[in-house]
Amino acid sequence: MSTMHLERVAKRFDTTPVVSDVSLAIAQGELVALLGPSGSGKTTLLRLIAGFEQLDSGRILLDGDDVTDRSALERRCGMVFQHYALFPHLSVSQNVGYGLANERLTRVARDARVTEVLAMVDLAGYGGRPVTALSGGQQQRVALARALAPRPRVLLLDEPLSNLDPSLRERTRRELRELVRRTGITTVLVTHEQEEAFELADRIAVLHLGRLEQLGTPESLYDAPATPFVAGFVGRASQLHGTVTGREGVVVHVRAAGTGWRARATGNLAGDVVLLLRPDAMRFAAAGPVAGTIVHRRFAGAHAFYTIRLADGDDVEVAAPPDAAREGDPVRLEPTGTGAHAWDAAPR
């Protein structure tokens, strides 16, 4: 098990920057998710860590050892790919044993290690089966066993659950998290799904256009986003334009949509700001100061998300009980005093 440090890592393809000046420290046994939209650089960053791509600048260290110029084989990173890359003509044991091809082991030692890692991923007794006879979740565990067989320094997962159906994906997430905890292996996971990152990761690195926007726990990303992108990408958020009218520590008072808001702010804000509102930043209130009309309702079980068009044409989203209102209803809203974040409205 290893610690990992990325120091100002950068990568271009032709003249296009794909990863820009990313620094990241990962503790031993920690699971960090690289989260971001398509094109954010997360898979390229994972490939740089693995040694499948070469850095243009920066350093990668494992346990303080600079591996920047070392081959993928020398780095000893276990990799699980999106499509698993299993060999359909080989048995489960043969697929797992393939991960030991570069180890100088006797046949007895190799077979013992294969048996050990299959038990580790709850596939004891499956060694003789063809991988084509397994379910998607079982194939994913075979891929994990193959990656773990050589006792890698770190485990790298490139969207390993994306090919599973939703119900199987949820169960496999729990199994994967338990496996990582049980083995104590340092793990980096690439995903574009927030729910997956929130459930699996100790910390999440949010990437946007190749840059690290914020690194933190799921709670800190949601409650204290560092940038407008993080606030809009993590969780759900609506946007209004307003003007700062006062300040109390990290809280600013903002006038927007005809009423006052208390919003968490980063930096010394003044004048025009962008107000990002979580769905719990507003509630329905018969005498609320903000008027609008419900244009969309999305049922979500114990609650519903209501899209409300305000008089000036802006849309905001509110979470409320499923029977609170219907599409087309006129409603009044009031701020709840939580779930609001403000940033400078000037373009950056």
Side-chain angles (χ1 to χ4, degrees):
M1 318 314 170
S2 298
T3 61
M4 181 189 299
H5 287 81
L6 309 183
E7 296 181 354
R8 307 194 68 175
V9 169
K11 177 68 178 179
R12 289 175 175 264
F13 290 131
D14 295 325
T15 59
T16 303
V18 181
V19 175
S20 302
D21 202 30
V22 171
S23 294
L24 182 63
I26 302 175
Q28 181 174 314
E30 186 177 27
L31 194 159
V32 168
L34 306 180
L35 176 67
S38 297
S40 61
K42 53 189 185 296
T43 294
T44 299
L45 186 57
L46 196 77
R47 291 177 62 82
L48 289 169
I49 294 170
F52 299 149
E53 302 283 353
Q54 294 303 306
L55 279 65
D56 291 331
S57 60
R59 296 199 307 164
I60 297 175
L61 295 93
L62 295 178
D63 283 333
D65 183 20
D66 190 341
V67 299
T68 307
D69 297 322
R70 296 188 188 173
S71 68
L73 183 61
E74 291 174 307
R75 296 185 193 196
R76 298 187 62 86
C77 294
M79 186 90 176
V80 176
F81 299 93
Q82 184 174 352
H83 299 289
Y84 308 149
L86 299 176
F87 300 109
H89 62 289
L90 299 181
S91 69
V92 169
S93 287
Q94 288 170 327
N95 267 278
V96 175
Y98 189 84
L100 296 168
N102 294 304
E103 305 290 315
R104 296 180 178 179
L105 298 174
T106 65
R107 174 151 191 174
V108 171
R110 185 177 68 249
D111 289 348
R113 180 58 181 163
V114 169
T115 300
E116 179 185 352
V117 292
L118 284 177
M120 192 183 297
V121 298
D122 295 324
L123 287 177
Y126 282 71
R129 301 189 189 187
V131 292
T132 52
L134 303 184
S135 68
Q138 289 170 331
Q139 289 184 12
Q140 191 256 6
R141 282 186 274 159
V142 172
L144 272 171
R146 183 178 62 188
L148 292 170
R151 293 186 174 89
R153 300 170 81 172
V154 297
L155 180 63
L156 307 177
L157 307 175
D158 187 7
E159 305 217 32
L161 308 180
S162 61
N163 293 321
L164 305 180
D165 64 68
S167 60
L168 182 57
R169 188 181 306 140
E170 185 174 348
R171 185 172 75 247
T172 307
R173 275 203 304 260
R174 294 194 297 269
E175 294 172 350
L176 177 58
R177 181 59 184 156
E178 175 57 31
L179 173 64
V180 170
R181 283 176 174 163
R182 192 165 64 241
T183 60
I185 189 167
T186 306
T187 303
V188 182
L189 163 75
V190 161
T191 182
H192 64 275
E193 293 196 10
Q194 295 178 36
E195 185 178 351
E196 187 167 292
F198 275 37
E199 181 169 349
L200 288 172
D202 298 304
R203 291 188 299 159
I204 299 170
V206 180
L207 298 174
H208 178 49
L209 299 178
R211 295 191 175 276
L212 177 62
E213 293 274 322
Q214 187 172 356
L215 173 66
T217 64
E219 293 83 359
S220 67
L221 296 181
Y222 187 86
D223 294 334
T227 68
F229 175 80
V230 175
F233 183 74
V234 175
R236 306 170 71 93
S238 308
Q239 181 175 305
L240 295 176
H241 288 268
T243 303
V244 172
T245 60
R247 187 179 189 104
E248 298 174 21
V250 298
V251 173
V252 291
H253 297 268
V254 177
R255 186 77 181 173
T259 191
W261 306 80
R262 289 171 54 84
R264 186 184 181 98
T266 301
N268 297 317
L269 294 186
D272 294 338
V273 294
V274 173
L275 195 63
L276 288 170
L277 305 172
R278 298 296 188 197
D280 59 352
M282 294 160 284
R283 58 181 166 235
F284 294 131
V290 181
T293 302
I294 296 175
V295 295
H296 182 67
R297 171 185 173 275
R298 186 174 74 82
F299 178 72
H303 60 272
F305 292 104
Y306 298 87
T307 302
I308 297 147
R309 184 149 299 155
L310 307 183
D312 62 2
D314 286 329
D315 287 348
V316 294
E317 189 176 61
V318 174
D323 58 353
R326 297 173 297 179
E327 288 186 13
D329 285 353
V331 293
R332 309 287 298 193
L333 304 172
E334 66 179 8
T336 63
T338 61
H341 305 274
W343 279 275
D344 192 338
R348 295 172 184 244

